[in-house]
Amino acid sequence: MSRPRIVIVGAGFAGYRTARTLSRLTRHQADITLLNPTDYFLYLPLLPQVAAGILEPRRVSVSLSGTLPRVRLVLGEADGIDLDGRTVHYTDPEGGEGTLRYDRLVLAAGSVNKLLPIPGVAEHAHGFRGLPEALYLRDHVTRQVELAAAAGDRAECAARCTFVVVGAGYTGTEVAAHGQMYTDAQVRRHPMRTGMRPRWMLLDVAERVLPEMDERLSRTAERVLRQRGVDVRMGTSVKEATHDGVLLTDGTTVDTRTLVWCVGVRPDPLVESLGLPMERGRLLVDPHLQVPGRPELFACGDVAAVPDLNRPGQYTPMTAQHAWRHGKVCAQNVAASLGVGGERRAYRHRDMGFVVDLGGAKAAANPLGVPMSGPAAGAVTRGYHLAAMPGNRVRVAADWLLDAVLPRQAVQLGLVRSWSVPLESASPEVARVPGRPDNDAAGGPADGAPAGARSGGDSAAGRSGAGAEAGAHRPGGGPARGRQGEPAANQPGREPAKNQPGREPAKNQPGREPAKGQPGGEPAKHQPPKNQPAEKQPGEAQSAAGGSGRQRRPAEAAESRPDRAPGKPRKTSEPPRATKPSTTPTTPKPSAMPKSSRPPGARAPGAPAPSRSARPPADPGPEPPANQPPPGPDIAPGPVKRTDGRAAEGDS
């Protein structure tokens, strides 16, 4: 008899705890599979310290394969679930597709950024839900301070030194607190010529900072922020965002280059495609974390609306503390349903309090309901994080010690670009990369694509956001996935040019139907077909110069080189040989055939398979047809003029 199959979707706080507990309870009596887009568990409460340069990224990343024995890890994002067939369809990071069969399914997909219908926010703001976003914010803040220090214009310096954080919850408060300390340290070592100081603003429509916590702790946190110079504005939010600044709801215009969106989170849209009863975007479950009418289906974490037995009629909030506890109870109930564990039990919790790290020795905490502030709260906060982390404790403690005695390294690595971490991304834990299609939409369609879904982690400690906007799905199946790939047109930052990676290729680029007059396509009117090698089909290889995404003729490549003056012929070891017109009738090569006789993108008969690493051949190609004028020399004696009406382009 085969062992039962358990599939867990998501490795956040709930999914990771479920997998770890099931691995201990079943002990080779069940096959456990964990589906997640990354190979690590991210400890989100310490993410602001990564953005501030206190901790290295790997300190808050716990290896899944290294800490989950007897658990099979599958890298991918779930994009469809067949409840009747008991299968989960997923797509791996390289675009491959797969299917997982299950006897028990645990949905712990977590949450994504919650967007509001505010003009310009999706284009110019960045969230704070994953490592790529934290790394981008660290580089961006460092770059703005360095550019401001070199700017002679006082207005430009002020705009670059202004950082706006929207959302005064746990995440936004910690980002503003750590960010102010980080930029102040940079300016102390390298003062600005204009004598200005970085300015951080914290906005929220709530009446006070940290509205989820005790009022005394809220006052403590606000006092610490104001002492450091953070401009705290309650009852105020963003009305409109632009590239050069934001317009606030009180009518004030703030010139800034940085807008951090920490308003809240919403459940992953994956559960919306199941067609089961929902509660504000979350899947309704019973106190045993089981979906009514589906004994094989469990849900926990941010995607599950779990009844709060201590407060009848309410549901547990979307916090990491609850998600971590959900995972343990869910694992026990899954094991009990398979007959390999004890009795199942209902989820009941006791509030253990919350902690907020404000940087340095300052913090706000209320462990077991006892309000604390100052260095004592800082010690309790860091002790709690060390105890709660499932790994890397020694490394985290070592980084804290080094930060206390050594200055921080304020450098920008440039590993994550602005378009790689759009706010509307449905997979904030994965940075986008060029060259892959993307049907993105966590908070709204991008480039006309429907809303997406992904499998990820759960919210960090106290990151709340119960409001859930419904996401669109693909007709007749699961929701369209939000994966890494080309950036949408409405992404933050500058939109890449048409011939840049990450955008839809122009009509003369590989992967698209060749434009008229281009190699492999229909010759333009009144123009002879190009002398192109037959074995070189459009889309086979990108430019060796890198980045432009189109094939350049040797003349264009020579013209765009900086070490060669325009009009200067290329030096060769042999003198150029004259080319005589061909008098022998020749059959046109497949590359010169009209488009009507060969489908677009099809390879010519006998041509080799496309290769991304292929480079243009050194030989001038086959002989031209009889009706084609004789070719000229390799390099034209002067600027090369394109025959398709566009200016010649160089390396991008």
Side-chain angles (χ1 to χ4, degrees), residues 41 54 61 118 261 317 350 370 380 395 398 421 435 450 492 644:
F41 160 75
I54 301 175
S61 309
I118 300 177
W261 191 258
R350 179 190 175 193
V370 179
V380 169
R395 292 183 172 92
V421 285
D644 54 2

Side-chain angles (χ1 to χ4, degrees), residues 361-386:
K362 302 294 181 67
N366 60 345
L368 301 176
V370 179
M372 302 178 64
S373 62
V380 169
T381 299
R382 296 202 168 184
Y384 168 79
H385 288 318
L386 285 179

Side-chain angles (χ1 to χ4, degrees), residues 43 46 49 54-55 178 355 357-363 375-389 396-397 399-401 403-404 408:
Y43 190 76
L46 294 181
Q49 297 190 25
I54 301 175
L55 298 177
H178 284 280
V355 294
D357 187 1
L358 300 177
K362 302 294 181 67
V380 169
T381 299
R382 296 202 168 184
Y384 168 79
H385 288 318
L386 285 179
M389 286 197 67
V396 170
D399 275 5
W400 284 341
L401 179 61
D403 181 70
R408 299 180 194 174

